[in-house]
Amino acid sequence: MKKILLSGVKPTGRPHIGNYFGAMRQFVQLLNSGDYECYFFIADYHALNLIQNAEEMKRNTLDLAIDYLAIGLDPNKATLFKQSDISAHTELAWIFDTIVTVPYLQRAHAYKDAVAKNKEINVGTFNYPVLMAADILLYDADVVPVGQDQKQHVEYARDIAQKFNNTFCNGNECDQGGVFKLPEPLIMEDVATVPGIDGRKMSKSYGNTIELFASRADIEKAVMSIVTDSDSEIPKNVYAIHKLFKSESELKPLYEANKGKYKVLKEALIEDIGVFIKPLREKRAELAKDENAVLKVLADGADKAKIKADAKLSLAKKAIGVQVN
Ligand code: ADP
Ligand code: TRP
């Protein structure tokens, strides 16, 4: 039996090269390793905390599905679906809500960050880790590849699984091992945080990204605005992005030979990003021509995922006593 791997991505905007090197590329590698039974889903209900416009939600969801197909997540090898197609996610989240305490959720980093920014927080944002636990536990996931920022959420899923098993699986039919398997995070940390064009972490929320499917003109615009510090001959922000695309042994002589020549180095970076992005962009354009085929991939994925999720939900409902047989 292969280990089960699951991860979700929110459809909140165009992916950037930080997302690619920090997460998306690893998904493809893990899938192609053949070591796992893989589930990848679009976390649209998580995104609803941020995207509250139907057209935008539809567009982002379809775009993300196309992106994932374009980078090589093969629907014949992995189950690709969207969260909202499987009602077991929200149903199980409610069950978990009844065993998770408020102080426990108040300790979540994402919640604390939002509080620190004095944001008025909706219940969905507060409950975010509970829905995420349901996402993970419904599929008996062994490993959950996520960025460092999501590690705590996977730990929450473990805790919630354990708490459910302890609360409901004593001396009844779910006794052997409990209903839920304890997942492990797989922290994709061999890639350091990709810096944005301003030197901070590349992030949609900072507006400092280089988009993964960017046109040549967009790449040029982004690279030319990479902030360069005048106190060093090697522009460190340019170099940090460049080394995603070329080995350091290739880069060292180039940067050595062009000390202080920021424009030349940026032009070399534009070239290298362009070579890397071109085939991805072409594949994406091809896929985008047939949106119905993409929607069909998600529908077929949902059919498969639903069987598994519903079976697990049914076990949970038996364990809590709301389902008799
Ligand atoms: P953003 O900060 O742009 O909103 P997300 O929070 O949606 O990005 O992140 C999606 C995935 O991409 C996560 O697994 C996250 O760890 C990874 N990721 C995002 N930004 C970076 C970055 N700058 N470097 C490496 N990985 C990143
Ligand atoms: N919270 C994750 C993020 O922001 C997305 C996500 C939702 C997820 N459900 C998940 C990731 C389940 C892994 C497993 O990136």
Side-chain angles (χ1 to χ4, degrees):
M1 285 287 277
K2 284 186 182 179
K3 286 200 167 179
I4 297 173
L5 180 149
L6 169 140
S7 200
V9 180
K10 285 185 304 228
T12 47
R14 305 304 303 131
H16 51 74
I17 59 173
N19 298 140
Y20 181 77
F21 289 100
M24 300 165 84
R25 182 178 65 161
Q26 269 91 322
F27 291 172
V28 178
Q29 288 167 343
L30 289 161
L31 174 63
N32 290 341
S33 75
D35 294 341
Y36 302 99
E37 178 185 331
C38 291
Y39 294 82
F40 297 107
F41 69 94
I42 298 178
D44 50 355
Y45 274 156
H46 275 115
L48 189 58
N49 286 309
L50 306 158
I51 310 275
Q52 302 187 332
N53 171 295
E55 280 315 309
E56 203 184 338
M57 181 66 90
K58 271 191 233 167
R59 188 68 249 164
N60 283 5
T61 302
L62 186 64
D63 275 340
L64 183 58
I66 299 172
D67 295 341
Y68 272 84
L69 295 172
I71 61 162
L73 286 188
D74 179 348
N76 297 312
K77 294 194 209 154
T79 305
L80 307 179
F81 64 100
K82 72 177 158 54
Q83 187 182 32
S84 62
D85 281 341
I86 317 284
S87 55
H89 289 238
T90 44
E91 205 173 335
L92 183 61
W94 174 260
I95 296 173
F96 288 159
D97 275 342
T98 67
I99 58 166
V100 172
T101 68
V102 169
Y104 179 71
L105 288 182
Q106 282 172 328
R107 289 199 288 275
H109 302 316
Y111 172 76
K112 288 203 286 195
D113 289 351
V115 172
K117 286 183 192 138
N118 280 328
K119 284 194 187 151
E120 191 169 64
I121 297 155
N122 62 33
V123 177
T125 301
F126 184 60
N127 260 3
Y128 190 106
V130 182
L131 179 58
M132 184 155 158
D135 299 339
I136 295 171
L137 300 178
L138 276 174
Y139 299 90
D140 273 338
D142 295 287
V143 289
V144 184
V146 284
Q148 185 66 36
D149 58 331
Q150 295 295 315
K151 181 166 178 247
Q152 188 191 37
H153 286 150
V154 181
E155 286 160 359
Y156 270 45
R158 273 180 82 84
D159 290 348
I160 293 172
Q162 207 150 29
K163 186 149 189 200
F164 183 96
N165 291 345
N166 289 341
T167 308
F168 295 111
C169 300
N170 291 315
N172 66 26
E173 60 193 285
C174 67
D175 212 356
Q176 302 96 4
V179 171
F180 294 111
K181 194 191 268 185
L182 273 48
E184 295 282 351
L186 183 88
I187 305 299
M188 303 180 287
E189 58 193 342
D190 53 332
V191 184
T193 300
V194 176
I197 56 175
D198 60 0
R200 292 187 290 174
K201 176 193 171 215
M202 186 176 288
S203 171
K204 289 182 272 274
S205 46
Y206 296 150
N208 62 356
T209 63
I210 301 175
E211 288 191 5
L212 178 59
F213 298 99
S215 65
R216 178 80 184 196
D218 290 339
I219 300 171
E220 279 171 19
K221 194 161 159 250
V223 171
M224 283 307 173
S225 43
I226 295 177
V227 175
T228 45
D229 40 358
S230 51
D231 60 346
S232 129
E233 293 182 318
I234 304 265
K236 74 173 184 328
N237 292 335
V238 178
Y239 188 84
I241 296 176
H242 213 156
K243 73 182 187 283
L244 299 166
F245 301 93
K246 266 214 165 119
S247 69
E248 297 207 54
S249 58
E250 287 170 287
L251 289 184
K252 285 251 157 68
L254 176 73
Y255 279 71
E256 205 47 48
N258 292 288
K259 274 187 185 165
K261 297 186 193 152
Y262 296 168
K263 186 154 182 287
V264 175
L265 294 169
K266 283 184 170 180
E267 276 162 1
L269 176 59
I270 291 168
E271 199 52 40
D272 289 334
I273 298 181
V275 167
F276 170 81
I277 286 183
K278 189 164 178 272
L280 291 177
R281 206 178 48 234
E282 285 171 357
K283 177 88 187 290
R284 195 183 189 287
E286 197 53 43
L287 286 159
K289 285 185 195 154
D290 191 353
E291 294 190 346
N292 286 333
V294 178
L295 293 173
K296 173 94 170 48
V297 166
L298 292 182
D300 289 349
D303 286 345
K304 275 204 274 169
K306 190 170 175 1
I307 295 170
K308 188 144 177 152
D310 284 351
K312 187 53 93 176
L313 179 65
S314 182
L315 286 180
K317 288 171 81 172
K318 282 186 192 152
I320 63 174
V322 299
Q323 183 176 314
V324 183
N325 49 38

